[in-house]
Amino acid sequence: MDSERTYRLERLLEATRNLSTALEFEPFLQSLIAVACELTNSEAASVLSYDPSRDGLSFTAAPFHQRDLLRGVTVPLEGSVAGWTFRHAQPLVVQNTAEEKRHFKEVDRLTGSHTRSLLAVPLLFRGGPVGVIEAVNKMGNAYYTEEDVTNLETLASLAAFAIREHDLQQSVNSAFAEAASLDRLKSDFIAITSHELRTPLGLILGHATFLRELVGAEYHEQLDLIIRNATRLKEIVENLASVDNYQSGAARVRQRKVSITSLVQEVVDSFQEEARMKGVILVVSAGRENLSIEGEAGKIAIALSNLIKNAILFTDKDGHVFVSAEAVPGYIKVSVVDDGLGIPAKDLPRVFERFFQVESHLTRRHGGMGLGLSVAKVMIEMHGGRIWVESVEGKGSNFTFLLPVDPMQASAADKVFLS
Ligand code: ADP
C-alpha cells in the first residue's frame, strides 16, 4: 500500500472517530467537508440536507467564506446535480459542468465562484436519502476517480448518521419544550383556579358557620352538610395550591422548634373518631422522649394527616393502623403502618405522583384526587426529608418519612444515613 493511500485511510479513520467523540454537529460537518476536500483533492466541498418544508436541499455545511451567502439558498430537486443525486440515491460525477444541463448555476452566481467539475454522493440513512455531499473542482484540472467516489461515500455515511442524530435530538428538544410549556399552562391554570376559588369558599364557610349559630337546631343538619362539603372543597383547593407553590418555588418553610412527639399525638387524636366510625383500630407509639426538629408544624401535620387518612380509608373494618415516631441518627423517623388493602407492586413507583390513583378515577370506590401523597411528599421534601412506601397487595402498607433534626446538616447526614 503506498503512503498516500495509508494517509487517506488515516484521515477517514479520524473523521469516524470525530463522530463518536464529543464534536458538536456543526464543527463535525465542517471538519468532514475539510477532509472531503483533502481526500478528493478538491477546491471545496459542502453538505446539503433535505428540507421538507421547502422540498429542496439546503446547505448544512459549506466553505467558511460562503456559509452566510448560502444559508438561505434552496437547491431544487429538479435541475440540479445535487437534486438528481438525492432523487436517484446514486453518486454523480460531472467532469465538465459546461456540458451538464443539470448543473444549478445559481450557487456560482451568488458566490461569484466558478464550478468546473463536481462529484455528488447521496447521504443515505437506512437506505433512504437524507441529503447530499458534494466535492467541487478537482485540482489540477484532473478528473474525479472511482477512489474519490468511494472516499466520499464513506464520508457521506458519517454525515448521514450525524444529520439523523441531529434531527432526532432536535425533535426530542422540541418535545421537551412542548411538554414544559404544557406544564406551565397547567401550573398557571391550577394557580389561578385555586386562587379564585379560595375567596368565595371562605365566604361560604364563614357565613354558613355564622348562620348555624343563629338558626335553630332543626336547621343544623343542613348547615353542617354545607360546612362539611365547603371544608372538603377548601382542602382540595389548599392541596392543589400547595403542590403548585412548591413546584413554582413559591413555598417556604418557617423554621421553628417543632415537637414531633406532640404533633404525632395530636394528629392521631384528630383521626380517632373517623377510625372508630369505620371500625379501624388506630394506635400511636411515640415513646417517652420528646423528639423535636426545626421546621413548620403545619406542613408536617398535613403530611402525616394525609398518610393517616389514607391508611384508614384503605383498611377494612377490624383492621389496624399503627403510627410511630422514633429517633434515628440525624433524623426523626415517622411511620404509618396499616394491614389494609396494600398497593399493587406495579403502582408503587407512581403513588407519590400528582393525580395518581391506583384505581382509575371513574371506577374507584374512594374519593380523592390523587393529591394526598404528592402533597405529603412536597411537605417532607421542603424540610430536607425523604418519604417512601413499602407495601404488599392484600397485606398492607408502610409509609415512612424521615425529617432531619437540623435541616442545615440534612445533606451531610443524608450521605451517612441514607447510603
Ligand atoms: P387520594 O387522595 O386520591 O387517595 P393519594 O395521593 O393520597 O390520593 O394516594 C394515591 C393512591 O395511593 C390512592 O388512590 C390509593 O390507591 C393509594 N394509597 C395511598 N395510601 C394507601 C394505603 N395506605 N393503602 C393502600 N393504598 C393506598
Side-chain angles (χ1 to χ4, degrees):
M1 205 187 286
D2 58 35
S3 62
E4 205 176 312
R5 220 147 161 233
T6 314
Y7 175 74
R8 285 195 186 131
L9 279 175
E10 275 171 2
R11 293 294 281 146
L12 275 177
L13 198 67
E14 198 180 316
T16 321
R17 276 203 206 103
N18 277 343
L19 182 66
S20 52
T21 53
L23 260 195
E24 296 283 331
F25 178 63
E26 283 190 10
F28 171 72
L29 285 189
Q30 285 308 132
S31 82
L32 196 92
I33 57 173
V35 178
C37 282
E38 208 182 306
L39 293 184
T40 61
N41 217 4
S42 301
E43 276 175 19
S46 47
V47 172
L48 297 103
S49 44
Y50 178 67
D51 180 348
S53 65
R54 302 186 198 175
D55 193 28
L57 296 161
S58 49
F59 285 87
T60 315
F64 273 111
H65 60 284
Q66 297 179 344
R67 268 167 76 180
D68 289 342
L69 285 172
L70 295 175
R71 194 150 293 173
V73 174
T74 304
V75 175
L77 296 187
E78 299 283 346
S80 75
V81 170
W84 187 94
T85 307
F86 179 82
R87 282 187 293 117
H88 292 82
Q90 272 177 34
L92 182 63
V93 184
V94 178
Q95 307 288 19
N96 184 2
T97 52
E99 292 163 9
E100 176 57 62
K101 280 201 216 70
R102 285 169 288 196
H103 177 50
F104 181 62
K105 301 201 175 51
E106 185 61 16
V107 173
D108 275 358
R109 199 188 60 75
L110 261 174
T111 56
S113 48
H114 174 57
T115 303
R116 298 184 312 274
S117 56
L118 247 173
L119 165 57
V121 166
L123 310 184
L124 302 173
F125 188 83
R126 300 218 173 113
V130 295
V132 175
I133 183 167
E134 280 186 334
V136 172
N137 292 347
K138 178 92 175 171
M139 305 266 214
N141 275 339
Y143 279 5
Y144 280 111
T145 62
E146 267 310 303
E147 193 182 343
D148 291 333
V149 177
T150 316
N151 283 338
L152 205 58
E153 275 177 335
T154 310
L155 295 174
S157 57
L158 296 179
F161 193 77
I163 288 176
R164 278 307 287 176
E165 210 217 40
H166 181 69
D167 286 352
L168 280 178
Q169 194 56 47
Q170 299 282 80
S171 26
V172 168
N173 290 350
S174 63
F176 269 124
E178 196 183 337
S181 99
L182 283 176
D183 198 60
R184 253 195 318 278
L185 257 181
K186 183 205 60 202
S187 287
D188 288 352
F189 174 75
I190 292 177
I192 292 168
T193 336
S194 52
H195 184 260
E196 290 302 313
L197 285 173
R198 241 186 226 152
T199 317
L201 263 176
L203 286 171
I204 293 174
L205 263 174
H207 285 265
T209 316
F210 175 67
L211 271 180
R212 192 185 184 284
E213 301 300 314
L214 289 186
V215 300
E218 68 268 36
Y219 297 114
H220 279 182
E221 200 181 317
Q222 281 87 344
L223 282 164
D224 284 345
L225 191 92
I226 294 175
I227 293 170
R228 251 199 329 276
N229 284 286
T231 309
R232 173 84 195 104
L233 266 180
K234 194 164 162 259
E235 270 172 30
I236 293 174
V237 170
E238 297 297 337
N239 273 345
L240 277 173
S242 56
V243 180
D244 195 63
N245 279 344
Y246 177 71
Q247 300 234 314
S248 61
R252 298 270 174 278
V253 172
R254 275 187 300 259
Q255 302 290 347
R256 302 262 161 75
K257 198 175 169 76
V258 180
S259 160
I260 298 295
T261 317
S262 352
L263 183 143
V264 167
Q265 190 64 56
E266 279 160 28
V267 176
V268 170
D269 286 348
S270 71
F271 279 98
Q272 282 299 359
E273 178 59 14
E274 199 172 317
R276 198 187 55 76
M277 300 225 314
K278 185 149 184 218
V280 169
I281 299 141
L282 174 60
V283 185
V284 61
S285 142
R288 251 171 253 148
E289 191 192 352
N290 187 20
L291 309 169
S292 56
I293 63 150
E294 288 293 318
E296 195 173 322
K299 292 194 161 74
I300 302 168
I302 290 176
L304 182 61
S305 301
N306 288 354
L307 299 186
I308 299 178
K309 197 192 304 166
N310 279 344
I312 297 173
L313 194 65
F314 296 107
T315 300
D316 288 333
K317 189 171 174 307
D318 297 328
H320 302 79
V321 174
F322 184 71
V323 185
S324 64
E326 61 175 310
V328 293
Y331 291 84
I332 289 178
K333 180 171 145 190
V334 178
S335 300
V336 178
V337 182
D338 67 61
D339 53 6
L341 304 185
I343 300 167
K346 72 170 176 27
D347 295 317
L348 273 178
R350 300 196 56 200
V351 286
F352 290 101
E353 283 176 22
R354 279 193 291 173
F355 305 112
F356 179 81
Q357 296 179 316
V358 170
E359 296 173 289
S360 93
H361 211 100
L362 297 176
T363 55
R364 63 192 267 117
R365 284 162 288 147
H366 310 279
M369 287 183 43
L371 276 177
L373 291 179
S374 59
V375 170
K377 184 168 188 277
V378 162
M379 300 296 161
I380 298 303
E381 288 180 353
M382 279 170 95
H383 284 81
R386 300 272 183 284
I387 183 166
W388 69 94
V389 58
E390 290 152 284
S391 182
V392 178
E393 194 177 4
K395 292 242 184 305
S397 311
N398 180 347
F399 283 87
T400 304
F401 62 81
L402 285 176
L403 288 169
V405 174
D406 178 355
M408 291 308 180
Q409 283 170 12
S411 48
D414 253 12
K415 291 188 189 94
V416 181
F417 186 75
L418 297 173
S419 59

